[in-house]
Amino acid sequence: MLLAELVLDQSLSRWEEHLPLMLHVIFLALDHGKAWVYEHSKRLLINLIIVLVCRGDHVSLAQSLFNFITISEQGLVNTVC
């Protein structure tokens, strides 16, 4: 089991205690040459955001991401036209 899945499965654990070390490892791994290491660290970062910021509420996270993408695309269309 990868750490990315463990974060979601054990969402009631106190991940805040380990956050500095986990963020350090995540950002170092984002620059790794192997794609599977990069993808795992990206998934771990997303799962940490879901657990710590949204407290596991996937619906509000999805709505926020959708709003962000919509606003970003509107800004891109306005600058192109």
Side-chain angles (χ1 to χ4, degrees):
M1 176 180 260
L2 296 174
L3 190 57
E5 285 81 25
L6 184 66
V7 168
L8 283 180
D9 289 341
Q10 301 295 324
S11 61
L12 298 178
S13 297
R14 297 196 49 144
W15 293 109
E16 295 90 356
E17 298 172 5
H18 308 288
L19 190 60
L21 179 61
M22 290 178 72
L23 287 175
H24 180 75
V25 170
I26 288 170
F27 285 107
L28 284 177
L30 283 173
D31 194 33
H32 201 276
K34 297 189 186 227
W36 64 272
V37 175
Y38 164 78
E39 290 297 326
H40 173 72
S41 62
K42 184 172 67 171
R43 191 172 341 130
L44 178 57
L45 181 61
I46 291 169
N47 290 350
L48 276 174
I49 291 170
I50 291 170
V51 169
L52 296 176
V53 177
C54 299
R55 301 289 179 206
D57 185 13
H58 299 303
V59 175
S60 65
L61 177 66
Q63 183 65 38
S64 299
L65 288 173
F66 180 74
N67 291 340
F68 174 76
I69 291 171
T70 303
I71 291 169
S72 297
E73 288 176 351
Q74 288 174 353
L76 183 62
V77 170
N78 290 339
T79 58
V80 172
C81 295

